[in-house]
Amino acid sequence: MQELSGLIRKAVDEYEMIAAGDRIAVGVSGGKDSVALLAGLCKLRRFYPKPFDLVAVTVDPCFDNRQTDYSPIQTLCDQHDIPYVIRRSELGTIIFEERQESNPCSLCARMRRGMLHDMARETHCNKIALGHNYDDAVETFLMNLFNEGRIGCFQPVTWLSRKELTMIRPLIFAPERTVRNIVARNSLPIVKSKCPVDGKTNREEMKQWIEQMEKSRFPDLGKLVFGAIRRGHVDGW
């Protein structure tokens, strides 16, 4: 966890993500990134010079009209004395049954973020932390370039004026491989997604394409793209 908390602190310090007295809602889907983010922020909180509080928040899409068992996450939160709030939703029904979306990920992400923002405000938080990592930034940049013909990526820090909430992404310097290894070594609890398109998304295709390019022609492709994002100050980087 020391390595992860170090990467988180680097992002937090460089982009001034945390101020003294912040109350931060951590969006926890149950996947490795969000669970690692929660655990990493818990460790950072112990020694960071600016005191802050944490609340874990989860939106359950209830795929197949079934509630997800998040008890392993509840146990993790109890161990670190973190309040944990779960909101059951009808996202699964709306997206896959009622609307039958051909591109479900985009709508699901927007609706879930909206709910998380509301939960952050309801739990008296002024900031919300999401688990996008280093690889997510590279993939998002290339997806925007190839799919939409634009230069762009999510921001490390975003002010949400309508919600009066600041969104932060403390894992932006943490490669996915590092996150995966840390989760495994520390036996952090993972709640497997029951999404019908899990592993079959446009992002997964981009992830595989990058891996192929790094193996066959451009071994430093991810590092080059990430460096270009930062040097070009793309979207607040």
Side-chain angles (χ1 to χ4, degrees), residues 134-143 146 203-223 225:
Y134 177 105
D135 294 79
D136 290 325
V138 173
E139 293 157 13
T140 298
F141 178 86
L142 292 175
M143 288 167 64
F146 293 162
R203 181 172 294 278
E204 184 63 28
E205 292 177 357
M206 178 56 68
K207 188 187 302 292
Q208 294 177 5
W209 182 83
I210 293 171
E211 290 178 358
Q212 292 173 1
M213 289 296 101
E214 289 182 333
K215 289 179 180 179
S216 62
R217 298 186 62 186
F218 307 105
D220 295 325
L221 178 60
K223 293 180 181 179
V225 172

Side-chain angles (χ1 to χ4, degrees), residues 85-187:
V85 182
I86 303 173
R87 173 159 298 173
R88 308 296 180 179
S89 75
E90 297 181 352
L91 278 177
T93 300
I94 293 171
I95 294 170
F96 290 103
E97 296 180 21
E98 294 180 5
R99 299 187 57 157
Q100 298 183 3
E101 287 286 321
S102 58
N103 183 21
C105 297
S106 177
L107 178 60
C108 183
R110 290 199 306 272
M111 294 180 69
R112 189 186 303 217
R113 279 199 302 270
M115 294 180 186
L116 288 173
H117 297 164
D118 289 341
M119 294 175 73
R121 296 300 299 167
E122 291 165 7
T123 52
H124 309 291
C125 294
N126 65 312
K127 291 182 178 176
I128 181 167
L130 301 182
H132 297 105
N133 61 41
Y134 177 105
D135 294 79
D136 290 325
V138 173
E139 293 157 13
T140 298
F141 178 86
L142 292 175
M143 288 167 64
N144 287 336
L145 179 63
F146 293 162
N147 297 339
E148 303 177 24
R150 68 179 179 90
I151 302 296
C153 184
F154 53 72
Q155 297 177 328
V157 178
T158 307
W159 168 245
L160 306 172
S161 58
R162 292 181 60 186
K163 299 291 185 179
E164 296 187 342
L165 192 68
T166 300
M167 181 189 300
I168 61 175
R169 294 178 167 93
L171 286 184
I172 54 171
F173 290 141
E176 184 171 346
R177 180 177 301 174
T178 299
V179 173
R180 185 185 302 112
N181 290 340
I182 289 171
V183 167
R185 288 201 304 266
N186 291 274
S187 301

